[in-house]
Structures are given as C-alpha cells and as structure tokens.
Amino acid sequence: MSARKVKDNVEIYLSLLIGLVVMTFSFLIPDVFWSSANFQSIASQMPVLGVLALAMAITMLTGGINLSIIATMNACGLVMAWVATHYPPSVGSMALVLLAGLTMAIVIGSVNGFLIAVVRVSPILATLGIMTLLNGINILISRGSAISNFPDYILTINSTNLLGIPVPLLVFLAVVAVIWVILEKSAFGRTIYLIGSNEQATHYSGINTRKTIVWVYILSSMLCVVAALLMMSKLNSAKASYGESYLLVSILAAVLGGINPDGGFGKVFGMVMALILLQMLESGLNILGVSSYITMALWGGLLLAFIFLKGINLSRLFGR
Amino acid sequence: MVNKFGIKPHELFLGLTILVIGGYLSFASPDFMTFGNIYDLVNNYAMLTILACGLFIVLISGGIDISFPAMTIISQYVMVTLIQGTTGNFAIAFALSGGIGLLLGMVNAVLVNRLKVPSIIITISTLNIFYGLLLYLTKGVWLYSYPEWFEQGVMLFKFTATDGYDYGLSLQIITLIVVIALTGIIMNKTSIGRMIYAMGGNKEAASRMGFGIFKLQLFVYGYMGLMSGVAGVVQSATVLTVAPDSLLGYELTVLAAVVLGGTSIVGGRGTLLGTLLGVILLAVLQNGLNLLGISSYWHTVVTGLVIVISVSMTAWSQRKGQGV
C-alpha cells in the first residue's frame, strides 16, 4: 500500500471533533469551560491515561496488544512503593526506587516478549495470561491492601508546577517526545512499523523481528513504570487493584488516535489529539453534571462514530 | 482436522491434567469426590460454561466478543424488571432475556460487518455503550424481588441423598445440557457450523465460495447474545439478585477458559470438547484450592500460571510449519 492510499484523515476528523466539542462547551458553559480550574483538571487526568495509552499503542503498531499494562503498572507501583517506604529519603533511595521499578518492568516485558516472539503465543493470550498471573502476584504480595504514605520526593511530582504547568503534564509531554523520536526518527521505530505491516517480509529482509518484538514489550512495560509513578504521586498509595478501568479505555484511546489494531499505521500526534478530545469531553460533561456512566457510553459511541467517519472516502465525497 | 470422533492431542493432554489434579484432590481432600461437591460445582459453573459455548463459536468464526458481560446483565435486568409480580414460568424468562441478548448480539454483528475493523475494537465500544447506559439508567440499583415461581426454580427427578440434601436436575443443569447439545449439533452436524469453521479459517476464501459472510456474522454474534441472555436467567436463578456492575471484567475469565481448551484466537481451529475441558480444568482447580484451604490470594496466581503454560504449550506445538 502506498502512503497516499492509507491516508485516512485521522487528524482532520479529530480536529473537527475537538472543534465541535470546544464549540459546544463554549456555548453551554463558557465561564467554566474556559476557566483555569477546568484546564487543571484536564491536565491532572490526562497524563496517566496518556502514558498507558502509549504503552498500549506501541504494541498495537506491531500488530500485537498488551492486556497486561494495568497489572504491570500495579506490580511496578507496589515494588517501588515498598522500596520508597522502607528506606529513608535520599538520592540513593530515589535511585533505588527507580531501579526497582525498571527491573520489574524489564522482567515483565521480557517474559511477554519471549512468549510472543519466541514461543509464538498470540499477543492477546500471552498478555492475558501474564495479566492474570501478575494480578495474582500483586494481591499475594500486598495481601490486597494498599501501601501508602510516601516520602515527599514522590508526592512532589503531582503537587509541583513548573512555569505554571503541572509536572505530570510535563512528564507526559516528555514521554510523548521520547516515543515520537523513537517511532519517527530511529531505525527501531521503522522496524516497528515494518513488522506491523508485514512481519514475514520484514523477517525475510534480514531484520531480527524477534529481538524487536521483545524490545517493544519491554518498552511498553517501562512506560507502565512512568504511569505507576504518576499514579503513586497522585493517590499517595499503591494497590493491586488500581486503574483497572483504564485497560479498555487505553485501547479505545489508541484506536481513536488512529492506531490501526492490525498494526503498521498510526502516529503519536493523532494519539495526543485523541487524548485531548477524550479528556475535554469528560471534564466538560463532568462540569455539566452529566453522569460519568453517560461519559463512558459516549466514549464508546465516539469510537464507533470515528471508525465510521474514517471509512468514508473524503476525496470521493468531494469529487476529487 | 482430526476425524470427527477422534480425540486431539491437546484434548487428551487437558483430560489427563484434569484426571491427575482430580485424582490428587480426591486423595488430598475427602470432600472433593463427593456427589454434593460435584453437583454444586456443575451448578455454580453453569453460567461460565454457557457463555463459553457462545464465545467458542465467535472465536471459531475468526471474531471475538468481549461485550457479553454487559449483554448478560442487561438481558437479566430487563427480564427481572418485567416479570416482577407475574405468574409466569421459565419459558417467558428465557424468551425475554434471550430475546434481548439476541438483539444486542445482532447490533454487534451489524457493526462488525459494516465498519470493517477488528471485532475486539467494536465490542470494546459496545461494552462501554451497553454498560454506560445500563449503569446510568439503573443508577446501579440492585434488584432483589423475584416472583415466587422464579424463586422456587425447577427441579426434576428430585431425590434426597444419604447426606440429607436434595438433588435432581436443576434449572441450571437442564439449561447447561440443552446449550451444550445445541452448540455441539450446530458446530458438528450442520452446514452452518461447517461454514463458520471455514469462515474462521479463511474469510476471503469462504466469501468467494459464496457463503453469506454477513448472515454468518449475524448468526455467530446473535448466538453469543442469545447465550448471554440464557446465562442471565441461569445466573439469576442461582444468586436471586441482579447487580448491574457484578460482571465487570468477567469477559477475560470466559476468554481464558475457552482458549485454555485449545480454541485458536485467530479462528478456524478448536472443538467444543476442548472448550468444555478448559472450563472443567478451571473449575476443578479453583474448587480444589478452596477445599485444600489454600488462601484465596493464591487462586489467581495458579489460574494465571495454568493459562500461561497451557497457551504456551499449544503455541509451541503449532509453531512448526509457520514461516517465521
């Protein structure tokens, strides 16, 4: 398929939808929607979901999926929480917290990657199994209760503003930038797209597809560490059952952002737009006093509408 | 395909695993091999088995449906609301609940067929829509009040065993037998079953052979919906309450049971016997851990391990002959 053929106008539709949402809310609730409180609420909601959606998206680009992201986030969160609450705050213990989280992520990512790339279990099944296993281990080691009361160096992530911008949002933007560079500017990123388009052809052209897939799942798990840190900082606790509702929402956000679930196509930019759209909608409806269940249904409806729109051939519609 | 009556290696392996675990349990726990325990086990896992039969057919067709917990609860909720204070019977309950499930399943089928994106994406959307609307409209209120005929249930060939409890063919068991027989006949004895296997094996080829893909999808997702409705009645008869948010996350448990049985997630491969063995393995494991007094914290770990090992072994044995 040529690049022209697969151009599916994701950015155009997302801009239209965002425009529609902004206009509707500006008309209905101009004072509240354009208030700094609203933007702060969006800024505090978006980072965790955003990072998780990216963790989902990079595996979807290879034609896979990672159902274990939430379990991974909680596993890394619990390990980091244990370290953080057992050692007095110092530069050394901060490093140890990060090291513990990253080690956990690399182990989990390697197991997922090994099952998918080497044993050739389908990604849905491999990550479903690992998800169940991790959920069990998380409950087992934490006895189902929360680890809380973290030292200041974790809590300040959530409470600090830099140049008037909340740090979690900056963290999210940094993650976006890193993933953008990896996907758009590196050979590794090229390989990810190639595997998603045609794994066999990529393999026969002499690229080590197994190694790439393993690294993709490790990268996905490492993003879960970032999500775990943001979550810990926001809630001041870690627990085996946090964020379960994010699993399907992160798939929804990735697909809405233009990631093709069969692999090969999708851009980071589209995903950021999708996340802004989802969070604006949630925040605006929340201000309007609309039930969060309606928001849940609307997100689902939005995804269907978006898929429907994407299927319409724009150029044919305008007779070009 | 192995011949129709032959046992596949994977099924043999599952059967042996169940025998080994069952053998160990009957040795380690005096309660396991009792009639009462097995009877309760069958009753309690009836809903899971019925849903697994539906999902089995969807997976064979090359699709996936994860919206069925929402369909189950919606059918159940509407059915219980409508039959309150009536003098009816279970035929009405099944017709109402199954009809609503069927309708919701058809909605999935239309969307999957028209929008041409992987069915997992469609059913994630409809799961959100179904659950969102249900929770909004019901405000999460539980239902407790059932008509008397529903609470009494059904019990054929009732007898009292030496342990003092009543046994017989309960509503759950009768429904379970009917569903298994129906699913088995559809998939093994009818041309529509053959077509579903063919579509899952190669959709393009099936389409060129003149199979109506849309009709097959209507059947497959409709059947999943119908099973969700039927499972709703069975679940309701067991627990006598409807909690709108009770089945959140249940889709992955059922999926685990079906793939444990060796059904391929990309379609075309798998047997009903395998699916049933997968359900039995999960049920026996969880029951066994309970009877052995092992802390419930371990249950998920063991379930996860069994899933990982089983899907790995299936994948490893099918790996030969693949290109990469």
Side-chain angles (χ1 to χ4, degrees):
Chain A
M1 271 194 274
S2 71
R4 191 174 295 270
K5 239 181 180 173
V6 297
K7 179 147 182 54
D8 44 15
N9 308 304
V10 171
E11 280 88 0
I12 297 177
Y13 285 124
L14 284 172
S15 331
L16 285 176
L17 286 169
I18 291 179
L20 189 72
V21 168
V22 170
M23 264 162 46
T24 313
F25 284 133
S26 315
F27 179 69
L28 288 175
I29 37 164
D31 304 340
V32 197
F33 185 73
W34 292 103
S35 68
S36 63
N38 183 35
F39 286 110
Q40 259 162 16
S41 138
I42 293 175
S44 86
Q45 300 285 339
M46 200 164 74
V48 177
L49 177 62
V51 173
L52 287 171
L54 284 171
M56 181 66 81
I58 54 166
T59 62
M60 284 170 88
L61 282 176
T62 65
I65 197 166
N66 188 354
L67 296 179
S68 64
I69 49 169
I70 306 299
T72 307
M73 175 185 82
N74 287 326
C76 297
L78 284 169
V79 168
M80 290 193 287
W82 190 88
V83 176
T85 48
H86 275 73
Y87 294 95
S90 70
V91 179
S93 62
M94 278 163 75
L96 203 60
V97 167
L98 273 180
L99 191 68
L102 286 175
T103 311
M104 191 77 188
I106 290 171
V107 170
I108 296 170
S110 308
V111 174
N112 270 331
F114 175 79
L115 288 175
I116 292 161
V118 182
V119 188
R120 302 209 64 78
V121 182
S122 83
I124 293 188
L125 300 186
T127 55
L128 171 71
I130 295 299
M131 177 196 91
T132 313
L133 184 60
L134 280 178
N135 276 337
I137 294 173
N138 289 344
I139 297 174
L140 188 68
I141 55 174
S142 66
R143 296 277 139 190
S145 59
I147 305 181
S148 36
N149 296 324
F150 297 139
D152 280 339
Y153 63 85
I154 288 182
L155 299 181
T156 44
I157 301 175
N158 193 50
S159 56
T160 319
N161 287 340
L162 257 181
L163 307 168
I165 306 169
V167 169
L169 194 61
L170 292 174
V171 171
F172 172 61
L173 292 176
V175 168
V176 167
V178 170
I179 297 296
W180 182 80
V181 169
I182 290 178
L183 289 181
E184 302 280 328
K185 301 288 164 197
S186 75
F188 177 61
R190 279 295 95 195
T191 317
I192 291 178
Y193 281 107
L194 283 173
I195 290 177
S197 307
N198 191 333
E199 190 178 344
Q200 283 203 349
T202 313
H203 177 74
Y204 287 134
S205 66
I207 292 170
N208 191 341
T209 49
R210 283 185 184 179
K211 204 171 105 186
T212 309
I213 290 177
V214 174
W215 275 108
V216 163
Y217 283 89
I218 291 178
L219 184 61
S220 175
S221 296
M222 283 161 86
L223 287 175
C224 297
V225 178
V226 180
L229 271 174
L230 293 174
M231 199 88 164
M232 286 161 73
S233 169
K234 198 169 149 185
L235 302 175
N236 192 14
S237 63
K239 201 179 172 189
S241 59
Y242 279 158
E244 272 164 357
S245 62
Y246 280 134
L247 179 58
L248 297 182
V249 176
S250 66
I251 300 178
L252 194 149
V255 176
L256 191 61
I259 306 287
N260 183 334
D262 286 333
F265 304 102
K267 296 268 180 270
V268 177
F269 188 58
M271 285 213 50
V272 176
M273 288 176 78
L275 288 160
I276 293 174
L277 175 64
L278 287 177
Q279 293 299 341
M280 267 208 220
L281 198 63
E282 183 179 27
S283 178
L285 290 174
N286 192 20
I287 296 170
L288 275 175
V290 175
S291 148
S292 64
Y293 301 131
I294 285 290
T295 311
M296 182 179 173
L298 261 180
W299 283 14
L302 199 66
L303 181 58
L304 288 182
F306 173 76
I307 293 168
F308 175 73
L309 283 172
K310 229 171 71 170
I312 296 175
N313 193 330
L314 262 193
S315 45
R316 192 185 299 165
L317 211 63
F318 294 119
R320 264 183 284 159
Chain B
M1 296 290 295
V2 176
N3 68 57
K4 232 179 249 176
F5 303 101
I7 304 275
K8 292 182 169 189
H10 182 78
E11 288 159 6
L12 194 68
F13 169 73
L14 272 177
L16 284 176
T17 313
I18 294 168
L19 281 182
V20 169
I21 295 175
Y24 169 74
L25 284 174
S26 47
F27 168 75
S29 158
D31 296 324
F32 179 72
M33 253 316 171
T34 57
F35 188 68
N37 185 49
I38 306 285
Y39 183 80
D40 287 345
L41 209 55
V42 176
N43 273 302
N44 290 336
Y45 280 83
M47 176 176 73
L48 177 65
T49 318
I50 292 167
L51 290 172
C53 285
L55 189 60
F56 159 70
I57 295 191
V58 181
L59 287 184
I60 293 293
S61 81
I64 193 171
D65 187 341
I66 59 168
S67 67
F68 60 83
M71 298 196 284
T72 303
I73 293 287
I74 291 176
S75 322
Q76 197 179 17
Y77 207 96
V78 176
M79 180 268 293
V80 173
T81 312
L82 290 178
I83 62 164
Q84 272 173 11
T86 63
T87 51
N89 56 43
F90 276 99
I92 294 170
F94 277 116
L96 282 173
S97 189
I100 293 159
L102 184 69
L103 214 66
L104 294 174
M106 298 253 181
V107 170
N108 277 334
V110 171
L111 290 171
V112 167
N113 187 271
R114 294 285 180 254
L115 295 182
K116 305 213 184 311
V117 289
S119 46
I120 187 165
I121 304 300
I122 300 292
T123 51
I124 285 175
S125 312
T126 51
L127 178 75
N128 274 286
I129 297 172
F130 292 164
Y131 250 127
L133 291 180
L134 175 81
L135 288 171
Y136 173 70
L137 293 172
T138 63
K139 299 184 171 51
V141 174
W142 290 34
L143 298 182
Y144 296 101
S145 72
Y146 283 82
E148 201 167 325
W149 57 269
F150 200 99
E151 282 187 15
Q152 277 169 355
V154 173
M155 193 68 107
L156 297 179
F157 310 115
K158 192 161 88 172
F159 68 92
T160 308
T162 44
D163 58 8
Y165 291 102
D166 286 345
Y167 296 108
L169 285 180
S170 63
L171 178 81
Q172 289 88 328
I173 294 178
I174 298 169
T175 317
L176 189 60
I177 293 170
V178 172
V179 164
I180 292 173
L182 185 65
T183 312
I185 290 169
I186 289 172
M187 291 312 277
N188 296 322
K189 304 284 177 202
T190 66
S191 61
I192 202 161
R194 293 286 97 192
M195 287 194 267
I196 291 170
Y197 269 105
M199 179 167 84
N202 189 334
K203 194 170 153 198
E204 193 60 37
S207 163
R208 294 210 178 150
M209 279 172 73
F211 296 172
I213 298 293
F214 182 43
K215 277 185 196 157
L216 283 178
Q217 282 173 333
L218 273 179
F219 181 84
V220 166
Y221 290 95
Y223 191 76
M224 177 81 250
L226 178 68
M227 286 304 111
S228 309
V230 169
V233 180
V234 166
Q235 164 79 350
S236 219
T238 310
V239 296
L240 288 178
T241 44
V242 187
D245 57 352
S246 62
L247 289 182
L248 275 171
Y250 197 64
E251 63 277 0
L252 296 179
T253 311
V254 180
L255 181 64
V258 179
V259 298
L260 206 54
T263 300
S264 160
I265 201 131
V266 289
R269 239 187 341 226
T271 59
L272 180 61
L273 178 64
T275 302
L276 297 178
L277 289 171
V279 174
I280 294 172
L281 179 59
L282 270 191
V284 167
L285 259 180
Q286 289 177 350
N287 180 246
L289 290 168
N290 265 329
L291 290 178
L292 293 177
I294 291 170
S295 140
S296 66
Y297 292 130
W298 278 101
H299 291 197
T300 325
V301 177
V302 174
T303 312
L305 264 181
V306 170
I307 295 173
V308 171
I309 293 170
S310 170
V311 295
S312 299
M313 286 180 60
T314 313
W316 188 257
S317 65
Q318 289 170 353
R319 207 174 60 116
K320 295 168 194 90
Q322 284 183 355
V324 181

